Amino acid sequence: MADRKSENTGFPASQPQLPNTITDFDPPKKPKRNKFAIACAILASLASILLGYDIGVMSGAAIYIQKDLKISDVQVEVLVGILNLYSLLGSAAAGRTSDWIGRRYTIVFAAGIFFSGAILMGFATNYAFLMVGRFVAGIGVGYALMIAPVYTAEVSPASSRGFLTSLPEVFINFGILLGYVSNYALSKLPVHLGWRFMLGIGAIPSVLLAVSVLAMPESPRWLVMQGRLGDAKRVLDKTSESSEDSKLRLADIKEAAGIPEHCNDDVVQVTKRSHGEDVWKDLLLHPTPAVRHVLITAIGIHFFQQASGIDAVVLYSPRIFEKAGITNDTDKLLATMAVGAVKTAFILVATFLLDKIGRRRLLLSSVAGMIISLIGLGLGLTIIDNSHHKLTWAVALCISTVLSYVAFFSIGMGPITWVYSSEIFPLKLRAQGCSMGVAVNRVTSGVLSMTFISLYKAITIGGAFFLFTGVAAVAWVFFYTLMPETQGRTLEEMEVLFGTFFKWRITARELKRKEEVNGDINGKGQVQLRTRVQT
C-alpha cells in the first residue's frame, strides 16, 4: 500500500529525488470537491426519497385512514410499521441483485417496484388492498435503502466520502418533509380522497429517480469485480480528485478484487463467485477478526439508530403532540411539519461536518444530545399525563424537546449510520454486509413502529421515552468503546483499523506512526522532504 502511494507522487524508490524549488516545501493544497462525483451521489441518493416520503406521509395519512376505513389502533400500528418488515425482503435481495446486474440498474429496479406500490395504495378500496400496496412498496424501499449508500460510497473519493455518503440520509429527511407537506396540503380534501392522494403521489419521485439514473455511470468497484478495468478507469478518472488519486483508487480496488497490479487490460478474467455462498461463509461462518469487528459494529449502529426511538417520533408525531395537549388536526400537522423542517435543516449541517469533525466525535455528541432531549420529553409528557389542567410550559417543553431530539439525531446518528456501515466492509463483502445492516435497521424499526401505541398504553407515553433514553445511553457506550474513526481512510484501508475490538485505539496509533514514518500522513500520499532525502 505504502509503495503504491509513494509511486503516485512521481518519485520512484530507486531514484532519489530532491526538491527543485521552494514550492516543494509547501503543504499540499486541499483538493477541490469533484463535481461529477457529487452529481452521481445526488442522483443515487434520490432513491432515499422513496422511504422518506412514505414515512412522512403515513404519519398524517393514518389519521384519515383510521377515520375512513374504521380500523383499530392495532391495525394502525401494523399499517404504519409493516412496511419496514416488508422492506427486509428487498434489502436481502438487493445485495445479490446489485452484484448481478450492477448498482445502477438495481436503483432503477427499486424505483419501478415502489412506483407499483404507490399506485396500489392510492387506489386501495379497503384495508386488505392497502396492505398489498404496502407490501409492494416495502420491497422497493428495501432495495433503495441498501443500494443508495453502497453506490455512493463506491463512487466517492476518500476525502469527501463522508459528505457524499450522508446524502441518502439527507434525501430521506427531504422525503419525510415532503410527506408532511403533502399531509397538510391535502388534509382539506374529503376524507375518502385525501389519504389516497397522499399515498398515490409517492409514485412521482420514483419516476424521476428511474429517469435520472440514465445520467449515472456504473460503480467502478462493481466494474472491476466484472473484470471491466477500462470502464472502471474511465469512471475513476471522472470521480477522483486527480489522475494520481484515480490510479491509486484503481490499484486498491484491483488488490481487493484479487486482480494482479500489473494487469492493465481493458477487460480481464476474474474468478466468479457462485451465487454468493463464499461471501456469506466469509461474512458469517468463518469471518476474520477484522470482518467480525466490522459486522458487530455495522449491526450495532443500525440497531441503535432505530431502537433509540426515532421512528416513534417521526411516525407518531401527531399522537405525541396530541398527548402534549394539541388537539386540533391542523395544528398537529403544522407541528409535525416543523419536525420535518428541523430534521431536514440539521441533516444538511451534518453533511458539511462529517469530513471536517469526523464520524466518531460527531456521533458521540449527537447521541449525548438525544439522551438529554429524551429525558426532557419523557418528563414533559409524564407531567402533562398526571396534570388535570393544561400546563403551557410543559407543552412548550414537549414541543422543544421533540425538535431538539430530531435535530441531534439528524446531525450525527442519522447520517453516520449509513456512512459508517457502507464504508467499513471489504469490497467482496460490502453488498451483503450492508444488506444485513439494513435488515437489522428495518426489523428494529418495524417492531418499534408496530408496537409504539401498545407500548405507551402499557407504560405511559412518558415511560416509553424514558425507555428510549436508556437505549440511547447504552448506544453511547457501545459507540465509544468499539467504533474507530474512519475519516479520510480509503475503503481498502478499513481492514487495518478493525479486528482488535476494544484495543482499536492502539492499532490507530500504530497506523498513524507508520504513516508518519512513510511520509503518508492522514493517507493523503504526500511525501515529506525527509523521506525523499533518505531514499
Side-chain angles (χ1 to χ4, degrees):
M1 181 72 69
D3 293 335
R4 282 203 311 274
K5 290 181 178 178
S6 61
E7 287 173 10
N8 275 286
T9 63
F11 297 100
S14 60
Q15 297 179 8
Q17 302 223 1
L18 295 175
N20 296 321
T21 66
I22 195 66
T23 57
D24 288 331
F25 291 90
D26 294 340
K29 294 181 179 179
K30 185 178 180 180
K32 295 181 179 179
R33 293 193 188 277
N34 185 292
K35 294 180 180 179
F36 186 76
I38 293 174
C40 292
I42 290 174
L43 292 176
S45 301
L46 288 173
S48 301
I49 287 183
L50 306 181
L51 172 63
Y53 183 83
D54 188 272
I55 291 173
V57 79
M58 189 53 74
S59 69
I63 299 172
Y64 303 102
I65 292 172
Q66 188 170 24
K67 290 178 181 178
D68 185 32
L69 302 182
K70 305 296 188 296
I71 59 178
S72 66
D73 279 347
V74 173
Q75 287 176 304
V76 170
E77 283 182 318
V78 174
L79 176 66
V80 169
I82 197 67
L83 179 133
N84 295 302
L85 299 186
Y86 289 154
S87 68
L88 281 177
L89 299 176
S91 62
R96 182 177 295 182
T97 303
S98 66
D99 282 346
W100 178 37
I101 64 173
R103 311 325 194 201
R104 191 169 76 138
Y105 289 111
T106 302
I107 297 175
V108 177
F109 191 50
I113 297 174
F114 188 85
F115 175 85
S116 303
I119 295 297
L120 288 172
M121 289 190 291
F123 284 98
T125 54
N126 53 46
Y127 184 74
F129 194 162
L130 187 57
M131 290 296 288
V132 172
R134 297 292 281 168
F135 172 77
V136 176
I139 300 296
V141 164
Y143 267 91
L145 265 178
M146 199 289 291
I147 197 59
V150 168
Y151 176 88
T152 307
E154 292 185 346
V155 83
S156 305
S159 62
S160 57
R161 192 176 58 246
F163 167 71
L164 296 180
T165 315
S166 66
L167 290 178
E169 183 71 13
V170 173
F171 281 94
I172 288 178
N173 284 272
F174 184 63
I176 290 172
L177 181 58
L178 285 179
Y180 289 159
V181 172
S182 176
N183 287 154
Y184 183 74
L186 300 172
S187 62
K188 303 301 181 185
L189 291 175
V191 172
H192 70 286
L193 289 178
W195 66 265
R196 289 182 169 88
F197 273 102
M198 291 174 189
L199 299 178
I201 286 175
I204 296 175
S206 61
V207 174
L208 297 176
L209 172 63
V211 173
S212 68
V213 167
L214 299 176
M216 292 164 47
E218 184 51 83
S219 156
R221 287 178 170 80
W222 183 81
L223 291 172
V224 171
M225 289 171 67
Q226 305 305 306
R228 295 163 56 183
L229 299 186
D231 292 337
K233 183 180 183 302
R234 283 186 283 275
V235 175
L236 286 170
D237 287 342
K238 290 182 178 180
T239 59
S240 299
E241 294 158 351
S242 64
S243 59
E244 290 78 9
D245 182 46
S246 173
K247 293 175 183 176
L248 178 59
R249 290 174 68 190
L250 180 60
D252 284 338
I253 297 169
K254 284 164 61 179
E255 180 183 9
I259 297 174
E261 187 176 354
H262 61 79
C263 187
N264 294 312
D265 296 335
D266 280 355
V267 179
V268 300
Q269 191 71 29
V270 294
T271 303
K272 299 290 184 181
R273 294 182 177 269
S274 57
H275 307 295
E277 289 89 347
D278 291 345
V279 173
W280 289 113
K281 184 172 71 175
D282 292 345
L283 193 62
L284 297 176
L285 298 181
H286 304 292
T288 64
V291 170
R292 188 180 295 115
H293 187 181
V294 164
L295 190 61
I296 291 172
T297 303
I299 289 177
I301 194 171
H302 274 285
F303 170 78
F304 285 118
Q305 186 201 48
Q306 294 300 329
S308 54
I310 185 60
D311 273 4
V313 172
V314 173
L315 285 166
Y316 294 102
S317 289
R319 285 179 180 261
I320 294 170
F321 290 130
E322 183 178 353
K323 289 290 184 180
I326 302 174
T327 55
N328 182 273
D329 281 352
T330 302
D331 291 341
K332 284 187 286 187
L333 292 178
L334 278 173
T336 301
M337 280 179 61
V339 171
V342 169
K343 205 168 183 298
T344 303
F346 277 87
I347 192 68
L348 291 172
V349 174
T351 60
F352 294 100
L353 296 178
L354 275 166
D355 290 314
K356 294 180 181 178
I357 296 178
R359 285 67 155 147
R360 180 179 161 80
R361 281 190 291 176
L362 201 56
L363 179 63
L364 293 175
S365 302
S366 166
V367 177
M370 289 166 58
I371 292 170
I372 295 170
S373 300
L374 286 168
I375 291 173
L377 180 57
L379 284 173
L381 290 169
T382 301
I383 291 169
I384 291 172
D385 226 12
N386 292 280
S387 177
H388 299 294
H389 55 278
K390 188 172 183 178
L391 300 173
T392 304
W393 67 269
V395 175
L397 175 64
C398 290
I399 295 173
S400 61
T401 50
V402 166
L403 296 178
S404 66
Y405 171 76
V406 297
F408 278 115
F409 177 89
S410 294
I411 209 167
M413 177 75 99
I416 290 173
T417 296
W418 303 102
V419 172
Y420 204 89
S421 62
S422 65
E423 69 183 1
I424 59 177
F425 282 102
L427 173 63
K428 64 181 180 179
L429 307 179
R430 185 167 301 132
Q432 284 83 355
C434 288
S435 69
M436 284 186 64
V438 172
V440 170
N441 189 290
R442 293 299 89 199
V443 168
T444 309
S445 175
V447 171
L448 181 66
S449 54
M450 287 197 296
T451 58
F452 179 68
I453 296 175
S454 302
L455 176 67
Y456 79 64
K457 286 182 177 179
I459 63 174
T460 75
I461 193 162
F465 284 102
F466 284 132
L467 177 62
F468 296 146
T469 303
V471 173
V474 175
W476 194 95
V477 174
F478 177 88
F479 299 150
Y480 181 80
T481 55
L482 274 175
M483 288 180 57
E485 179 59 72
T486 58
Q487 179 189 13
R489 300 290 176 189
T490 67
L491 295 177
E492 284 67 37
E493 286 177 327
M494 295 298 174
E495 192 172 356
V496 180
L497 289 173
F498 290 87
T500 51
F501 296 93
F502 300 103
K503 298 178 180 179
W504 63 264
R505 291 172 180 80
I506 298 174
T507 305
R509 284 196 295 268
E510 291 177 352
L511 182 61
K512 185 176 180 180
R513 192 179 305 116
K514 288 179 181 178
E515 288 175 347
E516 289 172 347
V517 170
N518 293 329
D520 190 20
I521 300 173
N522 293 326
K524 299 298 182 181
Q526 298 296 331
V527 180
Q528 294 179 347
L529 173 61
R530 182 186 61 185
T531 307
R532 296 179 190 175
V533 173
Q534 289 176 348
T535 58

